[in-house]
Amino acid sequence: MSSRVRIAIVGGGISGLTAAYRLRHALGPDAHIDLVEASGRVGGVLHTTTVGERAVDVGAEAFIVRRPEALELVTELGLADRIVSPTPRRPAVWSGERLHPLPTPALMGIPAGPAVVDGLVDPDDLDRMTGEPERPLRWEAGGDIAVGQLVAERFGPSVVARSLDPMLGGVYSSLAGDIGVREALPALAARLDAGAPSLTAAVGDLITAGAGVSGPVFGALVGGYAVLLDALRTAAGVEPEILTPVTELAPSTEGWSLGFGAGRDPRSYDGVVLAVPAWRAGDLLHQCAPELSAPLRAVRRASSVVVSIALAPGTVLPEHSGVLVGTGEGLRAKAFTFSSQKWAHLAGPDLSGADRPVSVRASFGRFGAPVPDESTEPGVADRLRREALEDLDEVCRATGVAPVSSRVVDVYVQRWDDGLPVYAPGHLAAMSQVLAARPSRLALAGSSYAGVGVPACIGRAGRAAAELLDDLA
């Protein structure tokens, strides 16, 4: 292919960097690849910063290793020796002012049977679960409803609030009632499509099918996601242009033209990858492809906040990897991760032999309940710090552990305004139609199209690069 090919990547998150890397590998060192990012840094919702004199991730902290995309990319970049697995500690669920074991076996919070959630959910719902296999199941093959609606109808609302919501809320920043079955659990939808006689049977079949899979589910990187982002940038041979928002996208004789606002000349490219949220892509396509713009702009968005806390070395926490909070259970935080207990590399002494601070992260906000910003509520960051520590103290007291708020050495608050798309019922079908109708030499990547997790974003970015290469060929 001609060495004069010019490509633009709009968006410097994991999707944009992966697309740039794949395109560089295919097109060679002479191809001209621009990567432009509207914010002041690359990484998108992946962000590694220093809290308590240690590098911690204040966005996503882990990836699923049973999906191949992230694991293969990390290995390809020579970073396999940095992958670590969680410790054996398990998370707990906060309900009724105390901690309960995380229901297991379960499918993303949908319990395999009533015994799994005995003591956690209401007695009426235990009875409802017991009789569920005998009740007729109404499911339209190929259709989609909210996973919360399905589980509430079959197992009862307390199962949703105390098992399903806590699990899905951490992944999607949304409650189960806002997330589609087909979006969150495509394998479950497929079982129901195939005629599973009950939800109990479908969930049991899937749990049994996965029982033979060994090894950890999640992995993280020593040094945080910054290690992966830096390696991608180097391997892609790009120097990201930060603080460079794209204001206009239009077809040109060569392919596409990007505008950058008053005082800056437009640039023409042979191909463009829009690695930005769906609604931002919709804004850019509003004039040139209104039929694609409308469904992209209609995607709703969820916001959240992470409060990263460093506690004095030796601080004792409840003996779990974290706490998932049931819906309506009184705490302001929706979850805690006891990072130093979840990841062994964050515990113990540093290279000099000095004891490390104990790392905890608290999460706030979700779709429909965003955290106000400073313009709406001055001092909101201080309030979140206080509430995170008050809630953490309450969890500690409930488990017989001394309160920890007096042992804080550092706190960092990270906002993720409009950080994730909402995977509502029908979302994947709508995005599939958009991808099928994309204009030539314009590809779409990001968390809006095929899943919000890091492996899904890496996979979609690779497919976007391949689609663009096919168009150019």
Side-chain angles (χ1 to χ4, degrees):
M1 191 174 294
S2 170
S3 63
R4 294 191 299 273
V5 65
R6 292 174 56 86
I7 304 294
I9 314 289
V10 182
I14 183 68
S15 299
L17 286 168
T18 299
Y21 167 65
R22 295 298 182 203
L23 288 164
R24 176 66 71 195
H25 186 265
L27 296 172
D30 294 329
H32 185 103
I33 301 177
D34 286 343
L35 189 150
V36 295
E37 165 60 39
S39 74
R41 62 170 184 83
V42 297
V45 295
L46 303 184
H47 184 32
T48 308
T49 191
T50 301
V51 185
E53 299 184 351
R54 88 159 79 199
V56 296
D57 283 309
V58 292
E61 62 159 0
F63 57 90
I64 297 176
V65 297
R66 292 182 182 175
R67 283 193 61 155
E69 299 94 339
L71 190 60
E72 289 176 354
L73 178 62
V74 168
T75 302
E76 190 176 332
L77 293 169
L79 301 174
D81 61 341
R82 287 183 173 265
I83 300 173
V84 291
S85 301
T87 68
R89 290 184 176 94
R90 297 275 294 165
V93 176
W94 178 265
S95 177
E97 300 183 346
R98 66 185 183 93
L99 293 180
H100 302 256
L102 183 73
T104 185
L107 180 69
M108 282 297 286
I110 306 177
V116 173
V117 287
D118 190 10
L120 175 63
V121 306
D122 294 342
D124 287 349
D125 289 342
L126 289 176
D127 293 340
R128 189 177 187 87
M129 291 182 67
T130 301
E132 193 270 340
E134 309 305 321
R135 300 200 314 271
L137 174 65
R138 296 186 301 275
W139 174 264
E140 181 181 346
D144 202 8
I145 63 171
V147 63
Q149 178 185 342
L150 173 66
V151 175
E153 289 175 352
R154 304 301 298 181
F155 286 175
S158 68
V159 178
V160 175
R162 300 171 201 167
S163 186
L164 188 59
D165 277 347
M167 182 64 72
L168 292 182
V171 178
Y172 293 94
S173 285
S174 300
L175 295 177
D178 297 311
I179 306 168
V181 175
R182 210 165 290 278
E183 282 65 28
L185 296 162
L188 176 60
R191 291 277 177 165
L192 296 172
D193 286 347
S198 66
L199 181 59
T200 300
V203 170
D205 287 348
L206 291 170
I207 290 173
T208 300
V213 180
S214 60
V217 177
F218 296 102
L221 292 171
V222 175
Y225 272 118
V227 173
L228 175 58
L229 299 174
D230 289 345
L232 275 173
R233 180 167 53 184
T234 299
V238 295
E239 188 57 42
E241 300 177 56
I242 61 173
L243 298 174
T244 307
V246 174
T247 59
E248 186 178 359
L249 173 70
S252 69
T253 54
E254 295 85 0
W256 293 89
S257 174
L258 298 184
F260 301 92
R264 304 190 64 170
D265 293 334
R267 304 178 198 169
S268 290
Y269 295 94
D270 298 291
V272 172
V273 177
L274 293 182
V276 293
W279 46 91
R280 178 66 183 130
D283 290 343
L284 290 173
L285 290 166
H286 180 60
Q287 296 295 329
C288 59
E291 71 286 357
L292 298 185
S293 173
L296 290 170
R297 295 171 95 178
V299 174
R300 297 177 293 179
R301 57 202 83 171
S303 300
S304 61
V305 177
V306 170
V307 180
S308 181
I309 304 165
L311 301 168
T315 300
V316 176
L317 294 169
E319 192 60 29
H320 297 283
S321 62
V323 175
L324 308 176
V325 180
T327 303
E329 291 293 342
L331 299 185
R332 281 75 52 94
K334 65 181 182 183
F336 289 97
T337 302
F338 301 155
S339 302
S340 295
Q341 296 183 170
K342 182 176 181 180
W343 304 105
H345 70 285
L346 295 179
D350 61 20
L351 294 177
S352 69
D355 289 337
R356 301 172 188 252
V358 173
S359 181
V360 175
R361 53 186 266 161
S363 300
F364 292 84
R366 56 170 58 95
F367 174 66
V371 177
D373 59 19
E374 289 288 338
S375 64
T376 305
E377 181 189 334
V380 63
D382 291 335
R383 172 173 68 80
L384 293 174
R385 293 185 187 98
R386 183 180 69 254
E387 291 179 352
L389 291 168
E390 289 173 352
D391 285 358
L392 183 56
D393 280 350
E394 185 172 349
V395 170
C396 289
R397 281 191 290 266
T399 56
V401 173
V404 300
S405 55
S406 63
R407 298 181 60 82
V408 174
V409 296
D410 196 9
V411 179
Y412 183 93
V413 178
Q414 174 67 60
R415 297 187 65 91
W416 296 114
D417 294 321
D418 297 341
L420 289 175
V422 176
Y423 270 58
H427 173 82
L428 286 178
M431 293 302 99
S432 179
Q433 292 176 356
V434 167
L435 293 174
R438 67 176 180 86
S440 179
R441 299 194 179 197
L442 181 76
L444 299 164
S447 62
S448 301
Y449 302 100
V452 299
V454 170
C457 291
I458 289 171
R460 177 61 221 152
R463 291 190 294 275
E467 291 161 1
L468 189 58
L469 290 168
D470 286 344
D471 292 344
L472 293 169

